[in-house]
């Protein structure tokens, strides 16, 4: 009888042990699952937190690009109006001529001294040219060089290849002076120094009589302006 009573007890103990094992197995499965879920959640969260950081740094390159674009636009605009990127016209890239001007007043004649850009690059002229009569077929200066009309407009003139600038030149008639004072002669033309240049060019022109005497000054020149904008 004692053996029969002991058998159910052993069976009960065995059942409890099996339940405990099952409970342990179930708890072990839940813990890794929770850990796995937390890890997966943390990864997107980390990526999401780095994205705003990247977005926050994005405006800096954007600002830089905008600044560069603005700077380029400003520079282009400035280069268009004042030719900041263009250099002064070299004398070797200029050709000169004399054209009709306003005609002048009694006792003088106004003609246009024209310089044309014969080079392939855009260049600028700003200010007054140096002008004098020359003769003796060898470039000898005759009389005084031209005075400069400082009251005249003197803009920076930008010349693309083939374009022209004009400086009105007033020539006082030699007949206005006593012959003994003027000592007139027939010149070969004009020596012209572009503004700021130490090199000159020659323009053949024999329509005027030049005074050899330095007691008088026949020539008065205005600054260069764009072709078509000369007042005289």
């Amino acid at each position: 009888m004692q053996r029969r009573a002991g058998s159910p007890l052993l069976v009960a103990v065995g059942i409890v042990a099996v339940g405990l094992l099952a409970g342990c197995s179930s708890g072990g499965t839940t813990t890794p699952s929770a850990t796995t879920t937390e890890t997966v959640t943390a990864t997107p969260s980390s990526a999401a937190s780095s994205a705003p950081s990247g977005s926050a740094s994005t405006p800096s390159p954007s600002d830089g690009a905008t600044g560069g674009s603005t700077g380029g636009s400003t520079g282009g605009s400035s280069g268009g109006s004042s030719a900041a990127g263009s250099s002064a016209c070299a004398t070797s890239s200029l050709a000169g001529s004399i054209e009709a001007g306003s005609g002048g007043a009694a006792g003088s004649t106004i003609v246009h001294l024209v310089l044309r850009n014969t080079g392939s690059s855009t260049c600028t002229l700003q200010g007054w040219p140096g002008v004098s009569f020359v003769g003796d077929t060898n470039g000898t200066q005759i009389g005084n060089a031209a005075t400069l009309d400082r009251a005249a407009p003197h803009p920076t003139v930008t010349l693309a290849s083939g374009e022209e600038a004009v400086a009105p030149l007033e020539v006082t008639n030699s007949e206005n002076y006593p012959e003994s004072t003027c000592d007139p002669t027939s010149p070969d033309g004009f020596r012209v120094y572009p503004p700021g240049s130490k090199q000159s060019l020659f323009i053949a022109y024999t329509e005027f009589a030049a005074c050899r005497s330095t007691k008088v000054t026949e020539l008065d020149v205005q600054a260069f302006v764009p072709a078509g904008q000369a007042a005289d």
Side-chain angles (χ1 to χ4, degrees):
M1 294 293 291
Q2 291 178 350
R3 290 177 182 176
R4 290 178 181 176
S7 295
L9 179 60
L10 292 173
V11 171
V13 171
I15 292 172
V16 170
V18 171
L20 290 174
L21 290 173
C24 290
S25 175
S26 174
T29 302
T30 302
T31 301
S33 175
T35 301
T36 302
T37 302
E38 183 178 356
T39 301
V40 170
T41 302
T43 301
S45 174
S46 175
S49 65
S50 66
S53 175
S55 298
S57 64
T58 300
S60 293
S62 175
D63 290 345
T66 301
S69 174
T70 301
S73 174
T74 301
S77 175
S78 176
S81 61
S82 62
S86 301
S87 58
C89 296
T91 302
S92 59
S93 295
L94 295 170
S97 61
I98 298 295
E99 298 180 0
S102 64
S108 66
T109 303
I110 294 178
V111 295
H112 286 171
L113 168 59
V114 179
L115 292 183
R116 179 169 55 89
N117 179 10
T118 59
S120 59
S121 301
T122 298
C123 63
T124 61
L125 290 174
Q126 197 280 322
W128 294 259
V131 184
S132 61
F133 281 119
V134 291
D136 297 338
T137 68
N138 59 8
T140 298
Q141 180 171 323
I142 301 173
N144 291 322
T147 56
L148 309 181
D149 182 356
R150 297 290 186 181
H154 46 281
T156 297
V157 183
T158 301
L159 299 179
S161 179
E163 291 186 334
E164 297 177 339
V166 175
L169 175 65
E170 183 175 11
V171 183
T172 301
N173 297 338
S174 62
E175 293 86 353
N176 288 359
Y177 309 103
E179 186 171 344
S180 58
T181 301
C182 173
D183 190 13
T185 187
S186 179
D188 298 325
F190 297 98
R191 177 186 292 125
V192 177
Y193 288 89
S197 177
K198 293 182 179 181
Q199 293 183 323
S200 64
L201 54 87
F202 171 71
I203 301 176
Y205 199 78
T206 59
E207 299 301 314
F208 299 112
C211 293
R212 280 190 287 251
S213 173
T214 56
K215 295 178 182 180
V216 298
T217 300
E218 289 179 89
L219 306 175
D220 184 75
V221 67
Q222 296 182 27
F224 281 106
V225 296
Q229 296 186 20
D232 292 324

